[in-house]
Each structure stands twice: as structure tokens, then as C-alpha cells.
Amino acid sequence: MTGTNKAKLLSSTNPQIPKGDGNEPVQAYIAAMPDWKSDIGRRIDTLVEQVFPSVRKAVKWNTPLYGKEDGWFLAMYCYKKYVQITFMQGTSLTPMPPVTSKVEDIRYLNIHEDDQLDEAQLTDWIRQASKLPGKKL
């Protein structure tokens, strides 16, 4: 999606990507993430693949999802000032990701432009999340 074929951004700056299964729509989403967010998206995608090489990927509701045969364990979304990582079973992770949700079991990690990403902690959360039951969406 380059040039005139660039994805439209929603008001939150989240890319509007057609629904699809597999790596291709997720990579299209990451490529369309604006500015510094695309680098974060690539890093998260790489970490997930390193931790869980057989990861299942899809884009639904303009959101990249990462999962396995029993459901989804992680999602990513762009907001104006940060990239949000959603852990579907976040309340079962140790330590729990820092941001609470109104949705049962979910916890978030919000990554801002100037944040120092704790890759060791993020990798550990991904590892833990990939071993928990996935969520059906």
C-alpha cells in the first residue's frame, strides 16, 4: 500500500485495512501505521513470531490479531499518541500488563513515542499469553 494506494487512517490514526486472514493483511496494517508507530508494529510482530513461530494472524475490525487454533491471545491498535497492545487473557499474566480494561480478563500495554520498550517484559508476556487459552472473537 504505497503512493495513491495508501490505507486511509481513522480519526484515531488507526489504519483502515480490509479484513483478512494470514500474514499479508497484518503486514499491510503495519506498513500503514503512521510515523514511529510502524516501527513499533514491526517490532511487536517480530517478537510474536520469535516467541510463537506457528502464530496465526488476521486483521479484523482494523485490528491485527495474533492467535492459535483455540483463539486470539494478542491484538494491536493505533491511537493518536500511542500503540496499544491488547492481551486477551491479561489478568492471568504475571505481572499483569499495566492498563486495565472494562472487558473481563483483558489488560493493555500502551506504548508512546518516547517510551523505552521493555522487550524482555513484552516477550515474557507474549510467551505467557501464547500458552493460555485463546479468545474467540
Side-chain angles (χ1 to χ4, degrees), residues 29 37 56-57:
Y29 176 96
K37 296 171 189 170
R56 182 177 152 220
K57 297 181 185 182

Side-chain angles (χ1 to χ4, degrees), residues 17-18 20-33 41-42 45 49 56-60 63-66 72 76:
I17 299 294
D21 290 319
N23 189 48
E24 189 175 321
V26 171
Q27 295 310 314
Y29 176 96
I30 291 168
M33 293 170 80
R42 275 191 295 280
D45 187 70
E49 288 181 344
R56 182 177 152 220
K57 297 181 185 182
V59 171
K60 297 182 182 197
T63 303
L65 299 166
Y66 296 85
W72 307 106
M76 177 172 25

Side-chain angles (χ1 to χ4, degrees), residues 48-87:
V48 172
E49 288 181 344
Q50 288 172 348
V51 169
F52 194 71
S54 61
V55 68
R56 182 177 152 220
K57 297 181 185 182
V59 171
K60 297 182 182 197
W61 312 286
N62 300 311
T63 303
L65 299 166
Y66 296 85
K68 49 199 174 111
E69 63 285 341
D70 68 350
W72 307 106
F73 61 84
L74 186 139
M76 177 172 25
Y77 195 90
C78 280
Y79 289 95
K80 286 184 181 182
K81 298 187 184 227
Y82 58 91
V83 174
Q84 184 171 75
I85 308 305
T86 303
F87 294 95

Side-chain angles (χ1 to χ4, degrees), residues 4-34:
T4 59
N5 207 18
K6 195 133 176 97
K8 180 182 176 197
L9 298 180
L10 301 173
S11 62
S12 65
T13 73
N14 196 54
Q16 220 175 0
I17 299 294
K19 181 178 172 179
D21 290 319
N23 189 48
E24 189 175 321
V26 171
Q27 295 310 314
Y29 176 96
I30 291 168
M33 293 170 80

Side-chain angles (χ1 to χ4, degrees), residues 121-137:
Q121 180 61 73
L122 181 54
T123 300
D124 186 50
W125 280 331
I126 294 167
R127 184 173 292 109
Q128 290 179 59
S130 69
K131 293 177 181 178
L132 294 169
K135 290 275 190 173
K136 302 281 186 199
L137 300 177

